[in-house]
Amino acid sequence: MQITVNGTKHDVDAEPDMPLLWALRDLLNIKGPKFGCGVGACGACTVLIDGEPVRSCSHPVSAVEGSVTTIEGLAPGGLHAVQHAWIDHNVPQCGYCQSGQIMAAVALLNTNSNPSEADIDDAMTNLCRCGTYPKIKAAILAAAKHVKA
């Protein structure tokens, strides 16, 4: 089967029920999406498919319709406004969940460029075992100012 990841088409030799996460990490050597829970609960594996956040650990590769974006393809040649805000707000601690958090934040800002704190709470269902939620919220609010511009 063929999937498009970060703007490049790839032929993937995988069983149809292989999770997209394994296709990305093991077959395409794209390591940004992380394995966390394996059931789509934690969001460490979040990628975008046509701009929508998807938990790639529980999404079969055969079900991919559209273009997949991982953190590696978020802003080719630079950093996305959300990534800048993450750095400015010193968000990561252990960093394990951060690529998924950033992808979820980008998806939120793609649909709501002026989110309230409640909007962020509703949209950001990814888990962070370090508890960086206040910094994540501050970074998203800061990034929103740049996304709107």
Side-chain angles (χ1 to χ4, degrees), residues 52-122:
E52 295 292 321
V54 171
R55 306 289 170 97
S56 63
C57 73
S58 56
H59 192 87
V61 67
S62 62
V64 172
E65 293 181 9
S67 182
V68 177
T69 303
T70 69
I71 193 140
E72 291 90 343
L74 192 55
L79 294 176
H80 188 278
V82 172
Q83 292 170 303
H84 279 293
W86 243 244
I87 293 167
D88 292 345
H89 287 80
N90 196 24
V91 174
Q93 287 190 17
C94 85
Y96 196 80
C97 70
Q98 297 302 309
S99 66
Q101 298 277 4
I102 289 170
M103 299 309 284
V106 169
L108 167 62
L109 294 177
N110 284 344
T111 59
N112 181 355
S113 63
N114 189 24
S116 66
E117 289 192 19
D119 294 334
I120 294 170
D121 289 341
D122 288 343

